[in-house]
Amino acid sequence: MADRGIVAVFGSMNMDLSVACERMPRAGETVGGSGFITNAGGKGANQAVAAARMGARTCMIGAVGRDAFGDALVAGLRDAGVGVEFVARRDDVETGTATIIRCEGDNRIVLSPGANHALAGEDVACALKRLVADELDGDARELAPAAGSVFIVQGECDPMATAAALSCAHRLGFYTVFNPAPACGLPAEAWPAVDLICPNETECQVLTGILPKDDESCAAALNALLAKGAGAAVITLGGAGSVTLSDDGEPLRMPALSSTVVDTTAAGDTFIGALAAARLEGLPLFECMAAGARASAVTVSRLGAQQSIPTRAEVEHWFC
């Protein structure tokens, strides 16, 4: 490895097409909208940007089409300080898009994955091995372990590629973070490769059958996630903050920090990216959750996805 760890993200890159309306349209109905914006997004790219803006050395592994949206997404990552050498440009498929309707401080999203499903597990494994080897030629058996580095995946890429990537990263020594969003599971053999699973409450309910609404249900849900084989679990709860288990098995809550909610897009991604950056610094899990809470509080006070994600200096100024 290089002289310090890295946050490597395998995930989606989307162009977000976002519009606001006073209420959600009913079937067959057209309603007036305003505030249309296009914004670089995708859960993977958002998390990479968040980690980079928190000061972590960060690399994106993903794919876009050879089109104008793809050009813009790669340029945006590069401008945010994210390494893009492992972002593939594909001629056979378009760049992913997300159509977002903003209404009353919440949002609804329709995804078209496009190139986000173009990479296979071996493509990601090749990128990870090159990262570990500092892109020098060498036999994989000679690679130094990626101790101290973090690898993040979500649910917006090919499921089998995601599972294979987790297993490879875990073998190489990365601390692996699985954000099952949209809600998705893993093959049974892949769960032991997950060091941390971080769903929101809806995703948690899909995975465990338990909606985490109070301490008792939060504890049950967290234990159900651990029973799948993950090393640790954090559930994000929107305005109620996030929760994990203490050393004695009791729910340990990190409250959401106060801010005016303008747009919740990318709030969860900011939380995970900031958590990963804090992990890179060697902080314990609960302090990593606190870093995520601070960063996401700034994000929800702004409009958009990547454009709303703060830098470390902005977070420190906000909470000084």
Side-chain angles (χ1 to χ4, degrees):
M1 291 298 289
D3 59 349
R4 62 190 180 97
I6 190 168
V7 174
V9 182
F10 168 49
S12 55
M13 300 174 62
N14 297 322
M15 183 59 73
D16 290 352
L17 313 174
S18 177
V19 65
C21 58
E22 291 187 0
R23 63 177 179 83
M24 293 292 175
R26 294 185 288 270
E29 181 185 24
T30 299
V31 299
S34 61
F36 176 78
I37 58 172
T38 60
N39 189 36
K43 296 192 73 62
N46 293 346
Q47 290 168 14
V49 167
R53 289 185 178 161
M54 290 300 107
R57 190 164 67 97
T58 307
C59 179
M60 183 73 200
I61 304 169
V64 294
R66 202 173 294 278
D67 49 36
F69 284 167
D71 293 342
L73 292 177
V74 171
L77 285 178
R78 188 181 291 115
D79 289 346
V82 177
V84 295
E85 59 266 36
F86 299 116
V87 176
R89 304 300 300 271
R90 301 294 293 249
D91 294 310
D92 56 338
V93 66
E94 76 282 355
T95 298
T97 58
T99 302
I100 302 169
I101 301 176
R102 312 188 309 271
C103 181
E104 296 179 343
D106 208 344
N107 60 68
R108 298 184 185 182
I109 303 172
V110 179
L111 288 173
S112 177
N116 291 319
H117 281 198
L119 296 188
E122 54 264 32
D123 299 315
V124 185
C126 180
L128 290 171
K129 291 173 183 177
R130 286 179 60 192
L131 277 174
V132 172
D134 287 330
E135 301 187 27
L136 297 177
D137 292 335
D139 190 298
R141 290 171 298 182
E142 299 173 356
L143 299 180
S149 290
V150 180
F151 178 66
I152 308 173
V153 295
Q154 318 80 37
E156 291 183 341
C157 293
D158 177 76
M160 296 309 295
T162 298
L166 277 167
S167 296
C168 176
H170 194 262
R171 286 195 303 270
L172 289 171
F174 286 86
Y175 180 85
T176 58
V177 180
F178 176 40
N179 171 222
C184 57
L186 289 171
E189 64 272 15
W191 279 103
V194 177
D195 291 309
L196 173 66
I197 182 169
C198 189
N200 66 19
E201 63 267 51
T202 302
E203 295 149 3
C204 175
Q205 185 176 26
V206 171
L207 286 173
T208 68
I210 303 168
L211 179 64
K213 59 184 184 299
D214 53 28
D215 280 355
E216 182 179 3
S217 56
C218 282
L222 288 161
N223 280 305
L225 292 169
L226 297 180
K228 292 180 177 293
V234 170
I235 304 170
T236 58
L237 302 168
S242 59
V243 63
T244 189
L245 290 176
S246 65
D247 291 340
D248 58 4
E250 296 299 319
L252 184 61
R253 291 181 176 270
M254 172 57 61
L257 300 175
S258 178
S259 64
T260 300
V261 176
V262 174
D263 183 6
T264 60
T265 304
D269 297 332
T270 300
F271 179 92
I272 289 172
L275 181 152
R279 170 74 191 188
L280 208 64
E281 298 176 10
L283 297 179
L285 181 56
F286 193 67
E287 291 185 37
C288 293
M289 292 165 61
R294 290 190 293 270
S296 57
V298 181
T299 293
V300 300
S301 72
R302 302 169 171 178
L303 186 64
Q306 285 173 29
Q307 68 188 36
S308 71
I309 299 172
T311 64
R312 184 171 188 146
E314 289 174 319
V315 173
E316 289 174 350
H317 176 75
W318 189 288
F319 290 101
C320 67

